[in-house]
Every structure is written in structure tokens, then in C-alpha cells.
Amino acid sequence: MPTSFLSSNVKFLVHLRHRMHDDNRLGLCLGAGVSTYFNIPGWPTLIARIAEHEAIKGTALLEVSESFTAQTQFLYQRYLQSPQAAPLPGEDDVERERRVRIGWLDLVHECLYRDTKTSDEDLKGHPYLWALVPLIKASAMTINYNFDDTVERMLYLFNNEQNGKRDDKGFEVIWSPSSQFRRNRGVLYHPNGFLPLEKIDGFSENIVFMEQEFADQLADIGAGHYSALLSHLAKHTIIFLGLSLSDANLKHLLRVSARQNPGTFHYHIHWCPTKPSIDEQEAIRKANFSTYNLVTLFLDSEEIKQLATILVMPDEEFSALCDAESDGLLTDYRYYLTGPVGGGKTSTLEHIKGLATFDEWVDRRNPLLGRPHGDLSTSERESVDEWINQQFRKKNRRVTSARDQLSLVDRSPLDPLYFVADEGAVASRAAELLRWMVPSKGRITHIAPGHLIILKCNERILKLRLANRGKTYNEEQLKIQSEAILNMWRGHPATIIDTTNMTPSQVVSKVPEAVLFQEYAPIDFDLLCKKIAKAGN
């Protein structure tokens, strides 16, 4: 039986819905592919129309270079030689420059909208864009690399149908990268400029369309002028839709963002009516994630519509949809980070912003945790164990209560067992943990299961890391702990990441890669804890 779109992508859909409905941190970045339904031309067609225009007559110039930006630069220079751009009597240079610039924009506008479908029926008939309007309204910012105002006209229509005529149009349009927004939601940003169907609605007097303008934009990114956009990419999960990733400036922006924020990832919808082979998909997926932190989904138009519909539906409707699948669908994905002290668990968690996360401790850290467990006196050990028990109870309650999300948890529920020096005491410690995390009269009935990710590291490197944090461990203590961890989970499904020769950024990016692309293999920690506790009887 073929798998459905929902079952094939449920982990990604759960994550995207959490970012939209719970965090309000989901946004869109739109490219030319979303506008083709409306007969808005892509670059090759638009450039050909401009070259054929009566004011240009520059078709031969298209043969000089295969670069679209260079071709546009040539056509603009040809326009400057036309009678329309000739100086007028009494006109100074500033007046002429502005008149010529507006004339060029008028020419581009004419070629852009020459055959465009503009009716309300056309707007609502788009294969998937109309279904995404609620997300565009709710998200902090939608990035639109197109000049046209199709999305804005959709929002006008949607708002009128939903709320009737009102004074507030419900969205804001900007094209400057450093603008301060008036709104917290519904901002539409056109990095390459804005040319609406009705110019009275307001347009940018410059568009990024030629070689020089793209070069300036790239320089501006390097100079930090797009810090607001980079900040947006750092804080939000973005779905890139209708883009082929051929824009050098966009790729540069994504690469800068990936290097600055290795724990933040986004989604790229690779539109394909006919799917590439599994091997080809895997190659593209790995390349996009390793270079740009992009999760690539290979979808056709109908699947994109399903994606949009599932994203915006209410929680109850989504739950019912998952339940209706054969055997139902899992919507709770928990990943536990474990490993020796200094292995990088906490620092990794701090840098991963796109997932729901649970810190190592709920309350302020107990000072005794800075010392090896074996060096503590009996009373100190009892005190710190009781404090740890309380922390694991609180965290298990929170983790168990979380629903419909991808969550990353610092430390597994059984991590305290690593620090029991006497093997005979492991069973009693497990029983103690079980009593605390699953109290007999509490509402939590089990220890939350989850997929285990083990960060392992050479003991010498661990010792150096811990010394920098003021923690006193020797290599022998760390070796014993590392071996205890690996021995405890031997035979259980787990992802092991060796961080010894990795930079912090590499470790940070490896964890989301495991979460997103590896098969979810949860460990039943509740059952395991009971087995360990029973073994001591």
C-alpha cells in the first residue's frame, strides 16, 4: 500500500506546525515559481520581452552573454541611448536621472504584467498559494523575491472575505533591508524591489535586476546591511518556495546564516512533477543541508497544497487526520542527548533554536555538581541525589506533557545511573529514580520514551574542556564514566556522534541532522528502568 503524503512527511509537518502554531516562528520565502500560474514571466521571458520592446529593440544583445543580469545591464544601457532617455529642454541631471529611472521601471512593469491573470477567481485558483495566506498573515515576515504584488492582492481579497471592508488592510509592505516594521505580523519584504499592478499602491524606485545592482546587493550583505534579514533567518524557520537556489546572493545569504547559526535550519521545497530517484534525492538533500542548513522536500503542486492545508489546520483537525491513517501516526518525537560530562550536550542544546528544547536542570544548578560524584561525602551525595531526583521529576513531567512536537532533551532519564560507583547500588538507584519520576499518586504514569543521541569524546579533550569551566575531573574518572555510558546502552538503538575532532559548530549541526533524517527509534526508558530496578531484588 503506497504511503500517504502525511505519513511520509509527518515528522517535518509536526515540526513546521509547532513552529507556526506554538512558537509563531514560521515564515515563507517566495520565488518566481509561485507566480508562474498567473502568467507572470520568469527572468528569461521577462528579459526577452524587454529586448523586443519598441523602446529597446535589443534582441541581438541577448547573444553577447548567457548571464541574465548581464543581459539586463546591456538592455538598460540600450534604453539610455533611446529617445525616451534623451535630455529635455531645461532639465538638469538629477531630474533626468529620476525621469529615466521611472521610465525604465514603467517599461519593466509593462513587460511584467502584459499577460497576467488578475481576477479574484485567478487569485483563489492558484494550486497552493491561496491555502498559504493564513500563514502569511500570521508570520512575522514573508520574504518575496518577486517584483509583483500577487501576494498582496491575495491578502486584500482574503481579508475582505474574512472580515469585510475595514480601514486596516492587515499587512505591511517593505523593500528596505533595515526598515523598522510597524507590525509584528503580516510584513511582506521584497528584497529585489516592488512593482505592484496598480502603481498608485506604492512602488520602490529601484529594483535589483541588473548586474551592477546584484553586485551591490552582495556587497551590502558582506557589509552587514542585511543584518535584519539575517536576524530573521536566525530566529525563524523559513520555507523556501518557488526558488531554485540559483540566485548567488540568496545562496550567499543562506551560507552566512548557516555559518553564524549552525543549529538553525530551514526548508526548501524542491518542486518536481516527476520525482528524482532516491539516490538523486539523497545527494541533493545532503548537499543542501551540509551547505545551507536546508531540509529539502521533493513535492509536486498537489503535495505543496497538502502541505499548506495541513500547516494551517487547527490542532484537533490535525490530530484527527493523523488518527485516520492506518495504525495512526506518531506525533511526539523526543530526542535525548546523553554523554559524559563535558561532552557538549548543554552547549549544543543552547545553539539549537529551531526545536523545542528541555534544559538539563529545571532549577538553578546545585554547586555540588561541579565535583566528581565519587569525591563527595555520603551526606553530600545524598543531598545532591535528592536534588537530582527532584529535577528529573520536574523535567519528566514537562517532557511527557509536551505534545505534537520535535523536542530535544538534555540528558536521558537514566543518566544518574552513570554516576553510581558501586555496581550493586545501581538497581536501588534505578528504583529510586522510578519512584521520583513516576510517583504512585501523580498524574504522570511513565517515563517519557525517546530516541537516544550519545555524544562521545576522548577523555583528554574532555578534561581540558572541563578545566576551562572550573570542574575538577581526571582522565581516569572520565574514562570510567564514558565506558559506563557506552556499556549501558549497548544493544539499544542509539545514535552515536564522536565529537573528539569536531568543532562546536560541527557538533551543533550533526544533532539536527540526526533528528531530521534518521529513523526515529525510541527507547522505552520506563520499562528499562523497571528491569534494572528489578535486577537488584
Side-chain angles (χ1 to χ4, degrees):
M1 181 177 180
T3 57
S4 69
F5 169 79
L6 176 59
S7 61
S8 298
N9 298 279
V10 63
K11 186 192 290 187
F12 302 127
L13 291 167
V14 164
H15 175 245
L16 290 169
R17 282 181 51 81
H18 175 72
R19 293 295 279 169
M20 177 181 176
H21 295 277
D22 298 328
D23 295 342
N24 190 29
R25 295 283 187 176
L26 184 65
L28 291 172
C29 182
L30 306 176
V34 303
S35 298
T36 54
Y37 169 81
F38 302 107
N39 291 338
I40 292 175
W43 268 38
T45 304
L46 179 58
I47 291 171
R49 288 182 183 180
I50 294 172
E52 295 166 357
H53 196 277
E54 184 67 23
I56 302 292
K57 296 180 180 179
T59 303
L61 290 172
L62 302 185
E63 301 175 5
V64 178
S65 172
E66 294 182 355
S67 166
F68 295 145
T69 55
Q71 290 174 354
T72 313
Q73 190 81 45
F74 299 151
L75 295 176
Y76 179 67
Q77 294 302 318
R78 183 62 174 264
Y79 177 74
L80 293 179
Q81 300 168 353
S82 68
Q84 290 89 335
L88 298 176
E91 184 179 49
D92 62 30
D93 291 343
V94 174
E95 291 172 331
R96 177 177 178 261
E97 181 182 349
R98 188 177 189 282
R99 177 177 61 81
V100 169
R101 184 169 64 249
I102 298 300
W104 170 252
L105 290 178
D106 287 341
L107 189 153
V108 174
H109 181 277
E110 177 186 338
C111 295
L112 182 68
Y113 289 103
R114 191 176 74 188
D115 302 320
T116 302
K117 298 187 289 187
T118 60
S119 70
D120 290 354
E121 290 73 19
D122 290 326
L123 292 176
K124 296 170 70 173
H126 191 281
Y128 54 80
L129 198 55
W130 180 258
L132 285 168
V133 170
L135 171 57
I136 295 171
K137 280 175 56 68
S139 64
M141 182 167 72
T142 296
I143 306 165
N144 192 344
Y145 275 89
N146 302 318
F147 303 144
D148 64 88
D149 68 337
T150 303
V151 174
E152 285 79 1
R153 285 184 284 116
M154 278 186 165
L155 283 168
Y156 275 122
L157 178 60
F158 185 86
N159 288 335
N160 285 340
E161 290 189 352
Q162 295 292 314
N163 306 307
K165 300 290 183 180
R166 60 178 185 175
D167 294 334
D168 182 10
K169 65 181 180 181
F171 62 92
E172 177 185 359
V173 182
I174 62 168
W175 46 82
S176 173
S178 58
S179 293
Q180 294 295 315
F181 310 149
R182 296 190 301 272
R183 293 180 172 274
N184 294 324
R185 300 186 180 192
V187 175
L188 290 102
Y189 170 40
H190 291 260
N192 288 347
F194 182 55
L195 279 178
L197 179 64
E198 303 294 339
K199 286 181 286 187
I200 196 172
D201 289 332
F203 60 94
S204 61
E205 292 197 8
N206 291 294
I207 57 174
V208 180
F209 194 36
M210 295 180 285
E211 188 91 356
Q212 178 180 339
E213 293 157 346
F214 273 94
D216 289 345
Q217 190 183 65
L218 183 60
D220 286 344
I221 293 172
H225 295 174
Y226 283 80
S227 57
L229 183 53
L230 283 169
S231 176
H232 181 73
L233 293 176
K235 295 176 182 178
H236 297 79
T237 299
I238 308 299
I239 301 174
F240 290 84
L241 185 58
L243 290 148
S244 64
L245 297 182
S246 60
D247 184 331
N249 290 357
L250 174 60
K251 291 194 292 186
H252 179 71
L253 191 73
L254 287 172
R255 182 58 182 162
V256 171
S257 177
R259 294 186 65 184
Q260 290 181 354
N261 307 284
T264 301
F265 55 91
H266 307 286
Y267 289 79
H268 175 232
I269 307 302
H270 185 114
W271 182 78
C272 46
T274 302
K275 296 244 188 324
S277 70
I278 298 300
D279 288 344
E280 290 170 336
Q281 291 185 37
E282 191 67 11
I284 295 170
R285 182 180 286 117
K286 286 183 176 180
N288 285 344
F289 192 82
S290 62
T291 308
Y292 305 115
N293 280 12
L294 287 178
V295 178
T296 306
L297 302 181
F298 299 87
L299 309 178
D300 58 27
S301 295
E302 178 57 34
E303 289 170 327
I304 298 174
K305 184 176 182 179
Q306 290 184 62
L307 170 71
T309 303
I310 291 172
L311 283 181
V312 303
M313 67 175 47
D315 290 341
E316 299 80 6
E317 199 172 327
F318 177 67
S319 297
L321 198 64
C322 291
D323 290 342
E325 290 281 323
S326 177
D327 298 327
L329 291 177
L330 181 70
T331 58
D332 299 327
Y333 295 88
R334 306 181 190 91
Y335 293 82
Y336 289 93
L337 273 180
T338 191
V341 290
K345 302 179 297 298
T346 302
S347 58
T348 296
L349 196 81
E350 289 173 350
H351 285 87
I352 295 177
K353 306 298 184 183
L355 300 173
T357 56
F358 295 89
D359 293 335
E360 180 178 13
W361 310 117
V362 177
D363 300 319
R364 188 177 182 181
R365 186 187 299 265
N366 189 309
L368 292 174
L369 295 172
R371 294 164 54 189
H373 198 264
D375 292 352
L376 301 177
S377 67
T378 301
S379 61
E380 288 174 331
R381 193 176 299 119
E382 290 175 352
S383 173
V384 77
D385 284 350
E386 183 176 350
W387 183 85
I388 289 173
N389 291 339
Q390 185 67 50
Q391 296 301 300
F392 273 73
R393 170 183 284 184
K394 291 181 178 180
K395 187 161 68 171
N396 186 59
R397 183 185 298 118
R398 295 185 180 188
V399 172
T400 306
S401 300
R403 289 287 182 268
D404 296 343
Q405 63 184 33
L406 266 68
S407 55
L408 192 60
V409 188
D410 193 345
R411 289 198 175 276
S412 82
L414 305 189
D415 267 31
L417 301 184
Y418 305 153
F419 302 92
V420 181
D422 183 3
E423 290 187 11
V426 172
S428 60
R429 186 72 179 98
E432 184 181 13
L433 278 173
L434 192 61
R435 287 195 303 271
W436 275 90
M437 282 191 280
V438 190
S440 59
K441 296 183 180 180
R443 63 181 178 85
I444 302 301
T445 60
H446 64 284
I447 300 174
H451 185 115
L452 192 67
I453 300 176
I454 303 173
L455 302 183
K456 60 178 287 189
C457 184
N458 176 274
E459 292 78 27
R460 184 177 60 83
I461 301 298
L462 288 175
K463 179 184 175 182
L464 294 173
R465 290 180 185 174
L466 292 167
N468 290 333
R469 302 177 197 170
K471 294 184 178 182
T472 55
Y473 284 81
N474 60 50
E475 289 187 31
E476 183 60 27
Q477 290 169 326
L478 293 168
K479 182 178 181 180
I480 292 172
Q481 188 185 132
S482 296
E483 289 177 350
I485 292 170
L486 294 176
N487 288 335
M488 180 171 177
W489 300 114
R490 188 168 284 113
H492 295 278
T495 299
I496 300 177
I497 301 174
D498 191 341
T499 69
T500 302
N501 297 313
M502 288 186 183
T503 65
S505 293
Q506 288 173 329
V507 177
V508 169
S509 63
K510 279 291 182 182
V511 172
E513 185 177 4
V515 169
L516 293 163
F517 302 123
Q518 290 189 12
E519 183 179 355
Y520 183 65
I523 294 175
D524 189 337
F525 294 108
D526 193 84
L527 179 61
L528 180 59
C529 194
K530 289 175 181 176
K531 285 183 177 180
I532 296 173
K534 188 176 181 181
N537 296 331

